[in-house]
Amino acid sequence: MTHADLGLGMRLKAQAGWNQIEADWRRALDLGPNGCFVAELDGVPVGTTTTCIFGSTAWVALVLVDAQVRGQGVGKALLGHVLAYLQERVVRTVRLDATPVGRPLYEKLGFAEEFPLSRYDGIVSAVDAGPAAVAVPKTYKPMFELDRAITAVDRSRLLRRLFDERPGEVRIAESADHLGYCTGRPGALAWHVGPCLAAAAVGPLLLADAFRRHAGERVFIDIPTGNTAAVRLAESAGLIAQRPLFRMCRGQAPAEDYRRIWACFGPEKG
Ligand SMILES: CC(C)(COP(=O)(O)OP(=O)(O)OC[C@H]1O[C@@H](n2cnc3c(N)ncnc32)[C@H](O)[C@@H]1OP(=O)(O)O)[C@@H](O)C(=O)NCCC(=O)NCCS
């Protein structure tokens, strides 16, 4: 897949009712220029998938097959191609966030569930909290280190790209030696809050700050259901669990600390 295939990606994601905009596809293509693929059936493009490699761990995302040709093995062929591509690059762990529709396909290919997430959706209300500070580039390094400590993967090239797209959206909170960050991005259907990774002492402030700034807008946020404080806060802001997602892994699962994940990046990169 190249930037010339953006139209296909946008068509398939609209058909599936997903939230991505062109900027999301561009980011995926720029972060994995050789690892994004189009499936063709009789010469007609009908499917997409993207990959992003972080060291020995890779994320697979945007697995979409045209509704007209589902159930004919296209999804399985795409995933088989991607897994072979990643194996050649010495990737030991492949991860993704599966929808309920995608989950059976991934299970057949050897993926196992790590933990469940819930997508919350709704017109968000402001919740009481002091404002968080806007992060500046010189504070990014400790934020990347925090992200690495929590996810057990170095996602700094993804985060740098995301922060550079909307620097004014990136927030930081510090209290004693507790640190956290939160950002977000626009979508076709809703503002996507996340990633927000933070110590328990500052996570609520960061989420509340995002809800306050986007009060009155439709918001999506993907929360590990095990982070009950984040779930409670989303519910108190009027958001409703829309659908489950499943973080899945093939190979050794990294020791990710989901209790400090207040909002995921989203299904594309955990
Ligand atoms: C999920 C998706 C990519 C599957 O693509 P597909 O081309 O229809 O899948 P395939 O025909 O290759 O099916 C692969 C295997 O998974 C099984 N499978 C696929 N969808 C399934 C479903 N909804 N329920 C049960 N099994 C399913 C098939 O039976 C097949 O098994 P088999 O090889 O033993 O026969 C496609 O349904 C889709 O684009 N869905 C909407 C977007 C989405 O949710 N993507 C997943 C994101 S995580």
Side-chain angles (χ1 to χ4, degrees), residues 14-224:
Q15 189 187 59
W18 287 6
N19 195 34
Q20 285 81 17
I21 58 173
E22 273 197 17
D24 295 305
W25 288 96
R26 289 187 195 286
R27 191 184 313 113
L29 287 162
D30 291 347
L31 290 168
N34 301 314
C36 301
F37 302 97
V38 168
E40 291 184 356
L41 194 63
D42 300 328
V44 178
V46 291
T48 59
T49 187
T50 66
T51 63
C52 183
I53 299 177
F54 302 118
S56 61
T57 298
W59 274 88
V60 172
L62 297 167
V63 179
L64 284 158
V65 172
D66 194 322
Q68 305 287 325
V69 301
R70 285 185 197 158
Q72 296 180 35
V74 174
K76 200 170 174 182
L78 260 177
L79 261 294
H81 183 79
V82 153
L83 292 176
Y85 164 83
L86 294 174
Q87 197 166 357
E88 270 173 28
R89 272 140 197 91
V90 206
V91 165
R92 284 196 291 274
T93 302
V94 184
R95 302 177 84 200
L96 49 82
D97 286 348
T99 60
V101 178
R103 184 183 170 133
L105 165 65
Y106 302 126
E107 279 172 340
K108 283 183 186 182
L109 293 165
F111 285 81
E113 179 177 333
E114 289 179 57
F115 54 86
L117 316 168
S118 202
R119 153 117 353 144
Y120 280 82
D121 174 6
I123 306 296
V124 75
S125 317
V127 283
D128 252 1
V134 178
V136 289
K138 71 170 193 277
T139 60
Y140 287 176
K141 195 160 171 262
M143 291 155 65
F144 297 156
E145 282 164 6
L146 173 80
D147 190 274
R148 184 180 188 155
I150 294 173
T151 64
V153 169
D154 180 2
R155 301 196 297 177
S156 53
R157 71 193 183 95
L158 165 70
L159 297 178
R160 190 174 292 286
R161 165 68 187 248
L162 189 66
F163 294 176
D164 285 348
E165 285 175 30
R166 284 178 183 271
E169 194 59 38
V170 188
R171 302 296 150 123
I172 183 168
E174 279 173 289
S175 157
D177 55 353
H178 302 298
L179 181 67
Y181 79 87
C182 185
T183 189
R185 60 189 184 279
L189 307 171
W191 180 265
H192 190 106
V193 175
C196 177
L197 280 75
V202 290
L205 181 146
L206 285 161
L207 273 198
D209 173 73
F211 295 160
R212 185 182 47 76
R213 285 183 294 114
H214 294 282
E217 290 175 45
R218 186 175 180 196
V219 153
F220 288 169
I221 176 170
D222 299 335
I223 303 174

